[in-house]
Amino acid sequence: MFGPILASGLAMGAVYALIGMAYNTMFAASRVMSFTTGQVGMIGGVLGSLFVVELGLPVALGFLLMLIGCAVVGVLTELLAVRPVLKKLEQHLYVLSTLAMAMGMQQLVAILWGTEPRPFPRLLATPAMGVFDERFWLPLLACMVVVAGLEYLYRSTLIGRAFLAVAEDSFAARALGLPERRLRVASYALAGMIAGVAGFFGGELMLAYFGNGATLSFYGFIPIALGGLGNNRGALVGGFALGLFQQAANFALGGVIASCAVFAVFIIILLVAPGGLFGSMGGRRV
């Protein structure tokens, strides 16, 4: 049983890591933890099934349309749930605004798509190959491509460096003439696409199901809590660790007890390392 646990654990870990990186991308530009992130991942899976299965479009075209749709949802999140809150003194109200939008998105998908899980297409139409099946290695490949793309964006492009400048000090970035608002909108669109990739390439494991949003929201937050907020490499390691532990606990203990074990380990690690295993507690000059 070691092979299936390893394969499914790494695949689900890659999905969780992608959601964690979407959280990081949104947080970097706005200092807001948007609870819509997991719901956008769920929408990625639903749109993938809609375009490829229901409408019969080619996988590549369905993937492209899914990215556009999730980017639009990301932008709407910034416009409707984040931007109004950032204008207020009580900026922590984003907890309520993004949570309310997340619940609305879930209910809208339930009404339009239905509450029963629907099949997700085999993206490459390859024969089933056990632990080497495409449903296990495609999420890993997608995760690696996203990580490499983000590293290139942030380190080798002007817009990526502008994102980092806004994340470091938004007031100084504005003083230097950087278009903070447009960069924030772009970061939410990028985060929407990253979350959509998680839902699309994790669709063969999770199916197209409206209830996946809440699962992805929670389990996608754990990697950044473990790896350190804003640290994509930490999110990658935390996601794989979570996926492997979750699948091993499911095999050894069963679903409900396994979830309790995940919660327990999560709380213990945060008590020992509040800044995450790869993060550090921030300091502020006064």
Side-chain angles (χ1 to χ4, degrees), residues 24 96 118 142-143 145 178 197 231-232 260:
N24 279 340
L96 297 178
R118 295 201 195 181
C143 185
V145 170
L178 293 178
V197 168
N231 187 336
N232 284 336
C260 294

Side-chain angles (χ1 to χ4, degrees), residues 6 51 56 205 218:
L6 179 64
F51 293 137
L205 288 171
F218 175 73

Side-chain angles (χ1 to χ4, degrees), residues 174-255:
R174 284 200 300 269
L176 291 173
L178 293 178
E180 182 204 6
R181 180 174 296 180
R182 281 184 286 175
L183 287 171
R184 189 171 65 238
V185 171
S187 73
Y188 271 71
L190 176 61
M193 289 190 286
I194 295 172
V197 168
F200 188 86
F201 286 100
E204 292 187 53
L205 288 171
M206 304 180 69
L207 302 180
Y209 177 47
F210 89 107
N212 287 339
T215 300
L216 291 176
S217 290
F218 175 73
Y219 286 111
F221 177 76
I222 293 179
I224 59 172
L226 299 181
L229 188 58
N231 187 336
N232 284 336
R233 296 178 184 177
L236 184 65
V237 175
F240 287 145
L242 170 62
L244 290 170
F245 180 79
Q246 182 191 44
Q247 295 305 312
N250 280 336
F251 173 74
L253 303 174

Side-chain angles (χ1 to χ4, degrees), residues 40-125:
V40 180
M42 174 270 293
I43 289 174
V46 168
L47 290 180
S49 181
L50 171 65
F51 293 137
V52 180
V53 176
E54 301 291 332
L55 301 181
L57 299 178
V59 172
L61 179 58
F63 176 68
L64 178 61
L65 293 175
M66 179 279 300
L67 287 180
I68 295 173
C70 288
V72 170
V73 175
V75 171
L76 290 176
T77 298
E78 195 278 335
L79 292 176
L80 301 179
V82 175
R83 184 178 299 183
V85 173
L86 293 180
K87 297 177 181 179
K88 307 294 183 181
L89 292 177
E90 297 293 333
Q91 293 188 5
H92 63 274
L93 290 176
Y94 74 80
V95 174
L96 297 178
S97 63
T98 59
L99 183 60
M101 186 168 181
M103 295 176 64
M105 291 162 61
Q106 183 182 43
Q107 295 306 310
L108 182 62
V109 172
I111 293 172
L112 299 177
W113 181 252
T115 57
E116 294 297 324
R118 295 201 195 181
F120 197 87
R122 290 189 60 81
L123 299 176
L124 301 181

